[in-house]
């Protein structure tokens, strides 16, 4: 499936809930955000039907996100159902890791293909400050549970929210000590993320190279999205960067997002998209659903333009409401 600029769209990030068991400072206020009523959130059957339509149009990879996806009951059953759809090659998950230790066995049995853990620091005190309610030991237990399945790749997503060089080094060291890829993600100026200091890829890489030595570009494809990776001597995993601000990758963008309430969102920055929940609940046929999805993706903007001239109305929802 191609958008209006000829980009192949084969990857969809699906938020299964807007609820989360953490209160990360760049994602939501301390009291949390007003959550959707249960009837407003897509059912698993509705998500499966959308995935089936997207697979017929050429989507091959599905990422399940939130909020925190593991707070939704019976998530492994959704994994199993999507995995069974013709054309779907990979179903992966992004989680904050707090519940992963108790859910990993079920996810593995359902056929999950990869696990991404969002973790911004290994320091217990800083972790508690960033998440407001979280404990790093629970996340580390989740990481170890995921690593007990060596056939399932594990990545760590780090949003740098502190200027302390030691934190960058400690996060990178996880890729030295464990067979995981650690990815540094430039914070997006969306919602509560607008108030935080921006740390770009070049500055973080300079800190890490001064500590660990030269980074060697890795040309191996290690995921579904825009990360690029480096090998470091003595490391068991790779160091990656997702640099949507300093190294824009819009010309290679292969993704769209589906929010928990069923809004098909074609660009993270903008409100552009379509309400698939309304389409489904108005009794559409499969063919009509596919036509709406195709038309929506055809209208995907050419790029995001943070801090530049805007080409469409900007998104006003927080990341927890959009889906990571």
């Amino acid at each position: 499936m191609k958008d209006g600029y000829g980009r192949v769209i084969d990857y969809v990030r699906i938020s299964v809930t807007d609820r989360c068991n953490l209160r990360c400072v760049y994602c939501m206020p301390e009291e949390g955000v007003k959550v959707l009523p249960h009837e407003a959130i897509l059912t698993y059957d509705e998500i499966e039907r959308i995935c089936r339509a997207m697979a017929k149009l050429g989507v091959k990879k599905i990422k399940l996100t939130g909020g925190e996806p593991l707070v939704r009951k019976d998530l492994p059953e959704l994994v199993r159902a999507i995995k069974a759809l013709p054309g779907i090659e990979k179903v992966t998950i992004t989680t904050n890791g707090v519940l992963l230790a108790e859910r990993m066995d079920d996810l593995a049995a359902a056929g999950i293909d990869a696990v991404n853990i969002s973790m911004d620091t290994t320091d217990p005190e800083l972790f508690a400050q960033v998440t407001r309610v979280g404990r790093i030991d629970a996340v580390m237990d989740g990481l170890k549970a995921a690593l007990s399945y060596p056939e399932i790749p594990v990545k760590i997503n780090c949003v740098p929210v502190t200027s302390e060089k030691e934190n960058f080094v400690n996060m990178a060291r996880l890729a030295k000590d464990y067979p995981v890829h650690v990815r540094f993600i430039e914070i997006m100026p969306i919602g509560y993320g607008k108030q935080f200091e921006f740390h770009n890829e070049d500055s973080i890489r300079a800190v890490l190279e001064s500590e660990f030595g030269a980074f060697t570009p890795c040309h191996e494809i290690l995921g579904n999205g825009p990360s690029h990776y480096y090998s470091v001597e003595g490391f068991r995993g790779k160091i990656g960067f997702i640099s949507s601000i300093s190294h824009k990758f819009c010309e290679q963008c292969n993704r769209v997002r589906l929010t928990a309430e069923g809004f098909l969102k074609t660009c993270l920055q903008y409100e552009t998209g379509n309400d698939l929940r309304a389409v489904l609940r108005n009794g559409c046929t499969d063919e009509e659903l596919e036509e709406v999805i195709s038309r929506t993706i055809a209208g995907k903007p050419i790029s995001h333009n943070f801090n530049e001239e805007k080409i469409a109305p900007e998104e006003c929802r927080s990341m927890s409401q959009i889906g990571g």
Side-chain angles (χ1 to χ4, degrees):
M1 176 167 47
K2 293 185 178 181
D3 68 6
Y5 298 95
R7 293 170 294 194
V8 175
I9 307 300
D10 62 358
Y11 176 34
V12 181
R13 298 175 66 94
I14 298 177
S15 174
V16 298
T17 180
D18 63 332
R19 289 165 168 78
C20 189
N21 49 358
L22 298 182
R23 296 291 181 268
C24 293
V25 292
Y26 53 79
C27 191
M28 64 176 71
E30 187 170 3
E31 66 275 13
V33 296
K34 185 178 180 180
V35 296
L36 295 166
H38 287 289
E39 62 271 16
I41 295 175
L42 292 178
T43 68
Y44 283 171
D45 286 344
E46 289 171 331
I47 294 173
E48 182 182 350
R49 188 177 176 196
I50 290 171
C51 289
R52 182 181 293 108
M54 288 183 164
K56 288 180 67 175
L57 293 168
V59 166
K60 299 177 181 178
K61 296 161 285 191
I62 303 290
K63 171 81 72 182
L64 300 179
T65 72
E68 168 48 43
L70 293 182
V71 303
R72 185 158 179 183
K73 186 178 178 181
D74 297 328
L75 186 70
E77 295 307 311
L78 178 63
V79 173
R80 185 174 285 107
I82 298 174
K83 283 277 293 184
L85 295 176
I88 298 298
E89 297 176 357
K90 288 186 178 181
V91 179
T92 63
I93 187 172
T94 291
T95 170
N96 62 34
V98 172
L99 299 174
L100 189 56
E102 59 189 86
R103 305 287 171 83
M104 187 63 209
D105 289 344
D106 291 337
L107 288 170
I112 201 74
D113 290 295
V115 174
N116 289 4
I117 300 174
S118 299
M119 184 196 318
D120 302 326
T121 181
T122 59
D123 178 79
E125 184 175 341
L126 181 57
F127 187 86
Q129 291 174 5
V130 171
T131 65
R132 296 192 177 101
V133 295
R135 295 182 299 108
I136 188 61
D137 57 337
V139 182
M140 291 303 296
D141 288 344
L143 171 61
K144 292 170 184 176
L147 291 174
S148 70
Y149 292 89
E151 72 279 9
I152 300 176
V154 179
K155 299 186 181 78
I156 293 173
N157 293 336
C158 173
V159 177
V161 292
T162 173
S163 298
E164 294 181 16
K165 296 180 180 180
E166 183 181 2
N167 193 61
F168 302 156
V169 170
N170 288 339
M171 288 303 301
R173 192 170 279 120
L174 290 172
K176 187 174 190 292
D177 297 339
Y178 300 98
V180 300
H181 304 320
V182 175
R183 310 190 300 179
F184 293 90
I185 303 175
E186 291 181 348
I187 196 164
M188 303 284 278
I190 291 176
Y192 296 94
K194 293 179 180 179
Q195 62 187 302
F196 288 90
E197 182 180 357
F198 175 71
H199 302 282
N200 67 31
E201 172 184 334
D202 295 342
S203 63
I204 296 172
R205 180 179 165 188
V207 169
L208 298 182
E209 287 195 302
S210 68
E211 177 72 20
F212 298 113
F215 279 25
T216 302
C218 175
H219 301 294
E220 180 184 359
I221 297 176
L222 298 174
N224 300 327
S227 297
H228 55 278
Y229 294 89
Y230 296 88
S231 298
V232 185
E233 186 174 355
F235 275 47
R236 301 175 68 185
K238 304 286 193 297
I239 298 296
F241 295 92
I242 301 177
S243 306
S244 56
I245 307 300
S246 66
H247 297 74
K248 280 177 64 172
F249 43 77
C250 296
E251 64 273 11
Q252 284 97 36
C253 186
N254 66 336
R255 71 189 58 194
V256 291
R257 287 172 167 81
L258 184 69
T259 69
E261 72 269 38
F263 188 80
L264 180 59
K265 184 173 174 58
T266 55
C267 179
L268 187 58
Q269 182 180 12
Y270 299 115
E271 290 183 339
T272 53
N274 216 317
D275 183 357
L276 298 189
R277 184 189 65 190
V279 174
L280 288 172
R281 295 183 184 180
N282 284 334
C284 71
T285 65
D286 290 347
E287 291 74 18
E288 289 169 338
L289 177 61
E290 292 166 23
E291 193 279 329
V292 171
I293 293 171
S294 295
R295 176 162 36 88
T296 304
I297 289 176
K300 179 177 170 68
I302 190 170
S303 71
H304 64 250
N305 290 279
F306 293 111
N307 304 319
E308 302 172 31
E309 182 180 354
K310 306 302 183 289
I311 59 177
E314 281 201 278
E315 179 59 72
C316 59
R317 289 173 291 187
S318 68
M319 284 300 294
S320 65
Q321 295 167 312
I322 296 170

